[in-house]
Amino acid sequence: MIPAAVLRVCGRPPSIEERRPPVPHAGEVPIRVAAAPITPLDLLCASGTSYFGSPATPYVPGVQGVGRRADDGKPVWFATSAGMRPGDGSMAGAVCVPYVDVVPLPPEAPLTLIAALGLSAVAAHAALTRTGGLTGGEVVLVLGAGGVVGQAAVQLARLAGASRVIAVSRSSSARERALRLGAEHAVPLLPDDDAGTLADRLRAVSGLVDLVLDPVFGVPAAAALRVLRPGGRLVNLGSSAGATAPLDSATLRSGSLKILGYTNNGLSVGERAESLGVVADHATAGRLTVSHDVVPFTDVTAAWNRQAGGDAGGRTVLAF
């Protein structure tokens, strides 16, 4: 028998149960799970209110995880469709995953850190480089720099050759962390900001920027457009600051600006594996990190409630 976090009622946290080990089918890789993060997508799916519809219960949550192949012990990262389609996810002692959703990791990979980075760092890397077309020497503005995507983006932009990175965040602690992670300036987002006032503060430290990484939308996105150089790009991958933004036609047209949308769902399996490989290599070499809390798997119910309530210090990772 293996331990598993089982969610029986949508909107409530999972709890530990004992289950039979999964049996691999053709094309699946048996994996001993080492760690699994509790991500916003896990919480959304388990709420029963996601755009995927209410999941069939009971099920084991967890859309991603890290572990070791059962046959040779080699470390891997893996993805699942738990909560989006019928089937169990990563929050169990062992899983069987289709080989196309398994990515080899470096032998010395820091597994809990890679679990914390995971698809959030993949999104930051792919949005910057694949969608945003970041090239060496460009100036990058990262909105929402306090979140996992934003933290990763600050570092990955520099690692990809950005000459300068400017960070924006509401929290003073997040701004201080962004500076430690490589941002040249960290600009506060204030409660009464409108697009004009925030743009003025940004312009004072950034000048014109080439690329905006935007996981927040709303007023910050509208302000960021005003400091883009002609032909500059804004890549949006979230809406935590607002589902709509007060954009004005004159700003877009006068600068021939580009607004691009990004989602991990748009990546091919190969593209996802490529970005995950870049993330894993940087993390293993000590060049990439993110704030996270590692908690014992047996504490999954309390950890889930903290993450859902916004009381966690960063990404929560369940360790076996």
Side-chain angles (χ1 to χ4, degrees):
M1 303 294 282
I2 61 167
V6 180
L7 189 141
R8 293 191 168 274
V9 179
C10 288
R12 296 183 183 178
S15 58
I16 299 293
E17 297 183 14
E18 293 292 318
R19 284 194 162 190
R20 294 184 181 277
V23 177
H25 296 96
E28 290 187 333
V29 179
I31 298 168
R32 298 190 302 272
V33 180
I38 303 174
T39 71
L41 181 55
D42 294 318
L43 298 172
L44 175 62
C45 289
S47 72
T49 63
S50 83
Y51 39 82
F52 298 106
S54 184
T57 55
Y59 81 103
V60 175
V63 297
Q64 57 183 305
V66 294
R68 297 185 179 275
R69 293 173 57 115
D71 56 356
D72 58 16
K74 291 182 177 179
V76 295
W77 174 92
F78 62 91
T80 86
S81 57
M84 296 173 278
R85 291 194 291 273
D88 291 332
S90 61
M91 297 181 189
V95 297
C96 294
V97 180
Y99 75 92
V100 295
D101 291 322
V102 178
V103 179
L105 296 174
E108 303 304 318
L111 294 183
T112 53
L113 173 57
I114 291 175
L117 288 161
L119 289 171
S120 293
V122 165
H125 176 262
L128 285 167
T129 61
R130 188 168 286 110
T131 303
L134 174 61
T135 60
E138 290 192 313
V139 178
V140 176
L141 174 62
V142 177
L143 304 178
V148 176
V149 171
Q151 291 178 48
V154 168
Q155 299 163 84
L156 289 166
R158 293 302 303 269
L159 290 165
S163 62
R164 301 166 59 223
V165 177
I166 312 300
V168 179
S169 181
R170 296 183 187 277
S171 158
S172 60
S173 61
R175 294 193 298 273
E176 292 169 2
R177 180 173 55 230
L179 294 172
R180 294 195 301 270
L181 295 177
E184 182 176 285
H185 297 283
V187 179
L189 175 60
L190 305 177
D192 58 350
D193 270 336
D194 58 27
T197 57
L198 179 55
D200 288 342
R201 290 206 310 282
L202 288 172
R203 195 177 295 110
V205 298
S206 70
L208 294 179
V209 305
D210 300 284
L211 175 62
V212 177
L213 193 288
D214 168 34
V216 300
F217 210 50
V219 166
L225 287 172
R226 299 188 183 194
V227 298
L228 274 175
R229 66 161 176 80
R233 300 92 68 201
L234 180 147
V235 181
N236 173 260
L237 62 165
S239 56
S240 60
T244 61
L247 311 181
D248 63 281
S249 175
T251 296
L252 291 174
R253 291 182 292 109
S254 63
S256 296
L257 305 180
K258 300 177 179 66
I259 299 178
L260 305 165
Y262 174 86
T263 171
N264 276 344
N265 292 335
L267 296 177
S268 68
V269 170
E271 289 169 339
R272 183 181 65 186
E274 179 184 354
S275 286
L276 198 284
V278 171
V279 167
D281 286 344
H282 285 317
T284 302
R287 296 185 293 263
L288 179 62
T289 190
V290 70
S291 61
H292 63 286
D293 296 320
V294 180
V295 301
F297 177 68
T298 51
D299 292 343
V300 60
T301 300
W304 184 281
N305 285 333
R306 286 196 301 273
Q307 195 77 51
D311 298 324
R315 181 60 44 84
T316 298
V317 177
L318 304 170
F320 289 82

